[in-house]
Amino acid sequence: MKEQPLTKGLYLNGEFVQLDDNFAVQNPATFETVGYVPNGTAKEAKLAVDAAHEAFKTWSKTTAYERAELLEKWYKLINDRLEVLASTMTIEQGKPLAEAKGEIQYANSFVKWFAEEAKRIYGETIPASVHSKRIIVQKQPVGVVAAITPWNFPAAMITRKVAPALAAGCTVVIKPAEQTPLTALLLAECAHEAGFPAGVINVITTEKPAEVVDVWMEDSRVKKVTFTGSTPVGKLLMRKAADTVKKVSLELGGLAPFIITEDANIQEAVKGVVQSKFRNAGQTCVCANRIYVHESIKEPFLKAFHEAVLTLQVGNGLDEKVDIGPLIDENAVKKVQHQLEDAVEKGAKLHEGPSVNMDKGYFMKPVVISDVTDDMLCMQEETFGPLAPVSTYSDDEEVIQRANGTPFGLAAYVYTQSLKKAVWFSENLEYGIVGINDGLPSVAQAPFGGMKESGLGREGSHYGLDEFLEIKFVSLQLI
Ligand SMILES: NC(=O)c1ccc[n+]([C@@H]2O[C@H](COP(=O)([O-])OP(=O)(O)OC[C@H]3O[C@@H](n4cnc5c(N)ncnc54)[C@H](O)[C@@H]3O)[C@@H](O)[C@H]2O)c1
Ligand SMILES: N[C@@H](CC=O)C(=O)O
């Protein structure tokens, strides 16, 4: 029997609210409508800030232990609903069910980590230069936080922001991506049942992102904006934040180099590059985008890489044999196809991928191209799809220059068996995250974020908590 589309309300001041105007959520694998959610407007955006501002007055005064307890309850409810959260994510976003479950666990690891970390928001005392004074440093929550998230990680990009914000004592207004609001609202249902007070968490779904987010950018009660998404939208928000001098964290696009040196273990490098390149059909900010292989191992690497790619199965993510689901929409498919055509026109060699027999859905087969040069589009702009361009290099100085020669600086990878090279590359790559013989470096306890135009600030770890805290210097004179 065909499932009925889910109908959900947006989450405002502790209630799920229906609106007359709703928009449809489409399954990118089948084009079916899988849900309807409210099309929030400036009105709901303002009501959300009113609620979050009011709730901040009491939430910010709770003890770290009280906040930790609620975060732990949220964690447990998310865990209990792992299956429904994952299947909802697969039908609205497309990623294979096993990957969706992995994302829910990854998302929940932030809730767990920050539940524990809430209790470790330590201040400091600093030796004063006169007998009569004491210098005390206190940390306090910044206030109402606006969190704007993308569709590629519909759960983890929310919890990576919201869990530390709540742990710090902030309240939040969230705008999930229009493609993936259902997962966000299920997370809100878990939070509601966990017992967070009304107004502490608000989720405004909308098909008009600028209308909602502009209200938050203009409102001086919103003290911080934390955004994950494309670099152009991130820059726009940074400009808008200037008027009220909001704190800003930006997790933006990448163009990750994946360097395989002459002494690398080729089988391990292939495993790592497949993991990094094709996770979420190539739609992750830290995906290998430019693969640089030392010229002396080009042939054995390409052969092993191509063989591995031919084993990948493309299809509907609900089918458990599937490794690669659909892309998010038609524009995503067009962008990757355009990069592929541009590369082949400029001389790249195509190594055909596995066959894909889907009559509907935004599917693309994974392909490898070799003889790639830096003037090709796939080496200059984020691909966000299953196209793997392989270029060769001859010495380390040359490849580091090519790897760093971009405005992006999110993640980079190096596969090598030489300790000296591992250290040299990790010190010279201008990237916020460097995976050495590791194609999957993201974890809750480590700082995630980019340099240059890939972003500002860090998420995850104790650094990610600092983003939601003000530092107050109290100068105490004993008179
Ligand atoms: N660095 C990271 O941690 C990280 C993680 C995931 C994704 N990303 C990046 O995100 C991008 C893919 O996500 P996307 O396509 O959803 O990005 P996007 O910038 O189009 O959208 C991200 C969010 O911004 C909202 N938005 C869009 N236009 C807006 C506007 N004018 N004003 C206010 N909000 C607006 C969207 O509705 C969505 O919620 C890629 O570039 C990827 O690298 C980065
Ligand atoms: N893939 C990232 C998120 C960006 O897309 C992660 O590992 O957290």
Side-chain angles (χ1 to χ4, degrees):
M1 205 180 67
K2 214 171 143 205
E3 298 269 342
Q4 286 302 307
L6 300 161
T7 306
K8 299 212 167 277
L10 53 76
Y11 189 51
L12 181 54
N13 202 16
E15 286 179 12
F16 288 91
V17 178
Q18 304 287 345
L19 298 181
D20 291 339
D21 185 17
N22 292 280
F23 66 96
V25 183
Q26 192 196 48
N27 183 338
T30 61
F31 300 156
E32 280 163 7
T33 294
V34 292
Y36 291 98
V37 297
N39 196 7
T41 65
K43 179 179 166 205
E44 288 74 40
K46 169 156 183 323
L47 289 173
V49 181
D50 293 346
H53 181 65
E54 194 53 36
F56 181 74
K57 293 175 189 161
T58 43
W59 181 249
S60 58
K61 301 285 183 274
T62 53
T63 66
Y65 285 82
E66 287 164 330
R67 297 195 294 277
E69 203 178 309
L70 281 173
L71 283 162
E72 288 282 0
K73 283 189 183 155
W74 194 24
Y75 169 81
K76 184 172 180 318
L77 284 159
I78 294 173
N79 226 8
D80 291 349
R81 298 201 191 144
L82 175 76
E83 299 291 332
V84 65
L85 277 157
S87 57
T88 303
M89 187 187 298
T90 295
I91 61 171
E92 72 175 346
Q93 197 272 347
K95 69 179 63 179
L97 198 52
E99 257 191 73
K101 284 183 193 166
E103 182 186 333
I104 298 299
Q105 285 162 335
Y106 173 54
N108 217 8
S109 70
F110 291 102
V111 180
K112 182 81 176 162
W113 167 265
F114 286 109
E116 292 159 352
E117 210 56 15
K119 294 174 258 176
R120 288 183 270 278
I121 300 175
Y122 300 138
E124 204 181 353
T125 58
I126 296 176
S129 40
V130 289
H131 289 294
S132 63
K133 284 196 178 187
R134 301 291 181 272
I135 296 173
I136 302 165
V137 179
Q138 293 180 347
K139 292 194 183 167
Q140 294 184 328
V142 295
V144 176
V145 171
I148 298 125
T149 57
W151 50 264
N152 67 337
F153 283 80
M157 297 304 99
I158 292 179
T159 56
R160 200 161 75 175
K161 295 171 163 39
V162 172
L166 299 177
C170 299
T171 55
V172 292
V173 294
I174 307 165
K175 196 213 74 61
E178 48 277 32
Q179 296 91 336
T180 56
L182 299 172
T183 308
L185 290 171
L186 283 177
L187 287 175
E189 283 175 16
C190 295
H192 182 77
E193 282 178 45
F196 284 97
V200 168
I201 302 172
N202 304 273
V203 182
I204 305 298
T205 53
T206 183
E207 241 187 342
K208 298 171 280 191
E211 177 176 329
V212 165
V213 175
D214 281 354
V215 170
W216 297 346
M217 298 311 292
E218 285 158 21
D219 195 323
S220 59
R221 295 174 299 170
V222 175
K223 302 294 184 208
K224 157 115 195 166
V225 56
T226 169
F227 171 79
T228 294
S230 62
T231 296
V233 176
K235 287 181 181 177
L236 187 76
L237 297 185
M238 194 172 171
R239 279 186 212 110
K240 290 185 177 177
D243 284 341
T244 50
V245 194
K246 294 188 199 314
K247 289 182 182 300
V248 180
S249 294
L250 302 172
E251 294 285 354
L252 310 177
L255 193 70
F258 196 108
I259 300 167
I260 303 158
T261 66
E262 61 273 39
D263 61 8
N265 175 323
I266 293 183
Q267 287 310 324
E268 287 298 324
V270 167
K271 218 160 80 186
V273 80
V274 167
Q275 208 174 32
S276 168
K277 176 69 251 183
F278 299 111
R279 185 161 69 112
N280 202 11
Q283 303 170 112
T284 91
C285 54
V286 291
C287 264
N289 209 102
R290 300 170 287 156
I291 302 160
Y292 295 108
V293 58
H294 192 271
E295 59 189 9
S296 63
I297 56 162
K298 175 187 170 189
E299 293 310 330
F301 170 76
L302 264 177
K303 184 169 177 290
F305 186 30
H306 187 214
E307 278 169 13
V309 171
L310 285 172
T311 67
L312 298 172
Q313 291 221 28
V314 179
N316 188 325
L318 291 178
D319 174 348
E320 63 181 27
K321 291 188 295 302
V322 159
D323 304 296
I324 300 186
L327 299 195
I328 194 68
D329 58 24
E330 196 180 348
N331 282 340
V333 174
K334 281 189 181 154
K335 181 179 181 191
V336 185
Q337 259 161 357
H338 180 56
Q339 286 195 2
L340 175 60
E341 282 157 18
D342 168 79
V344 171
E345 230 167 68
K346 290 178 180 154
K349 181 171 162 202
L350 176 63
H351 305 255
E352 269 298 346
S355 58
V356 179
N357 300 315
M358 307 299 296
D359 54 350
K360 268 194 221 153
Y362 300 116
F363 292 100
M364 269 208 85
K365 68 169 125 182
V367 291
V368 177
I369 50 176
S370 61
D371 297 339
V372 167
T373 48
D374 291 353
D375 60 331
M376 295 173 186
L377 283 178
C378 57
M379 301 298 268
Q380 295 172 2
E381 51 178 47
E382 195 177 33
T383 302
F384 244 53
L387 165 67
V390 179
S391 189
T392 53
Y393 74 94
S394 56
D395 73 73
D396 294 347
E397 287 290 348
E398 171 216 329
V399 78
I400 203 100
Q401 266 194 31
R402 290 168 70 192
N404 286 342
T406 142
F408 298 101
L410 184 56
Y413 305 86
V414 182
Y415 270 69
T416 180
Q417 296 193 84
S418 149
L419 181 60
K420 199 169 164 195
K421 277 186 194 288
V423 171
W424 186 82
F425 275 108
S426 66
E427 288 178 357
N428 285 285
L429 282 161
E430 295 164 359
Y431 286 81
I433 303 160
V434 179
I436 303 283
N437 299 323
D438 183 5
L440 208 61
S442 319
V443 283
Q445 65 272 34
F448 187 103
M451 295 182 182
K452 302 198 264 184
E453 293 186 22
S454 285
L456 283 179
R458 293 293 179 269
E459 290 187 337
S461 79
H462 63 89
Y463 299 101
L465 189 55
D466 287 344
E467 302 279 336
F468 299 95
L469 293 165
E470 286 283 9
I471 291 177
K472 185 179 280 178
F473 157 40
V474 179
S475 182
L476 181 66
Q477 176 136 247
L478 309 170
I479 50 170

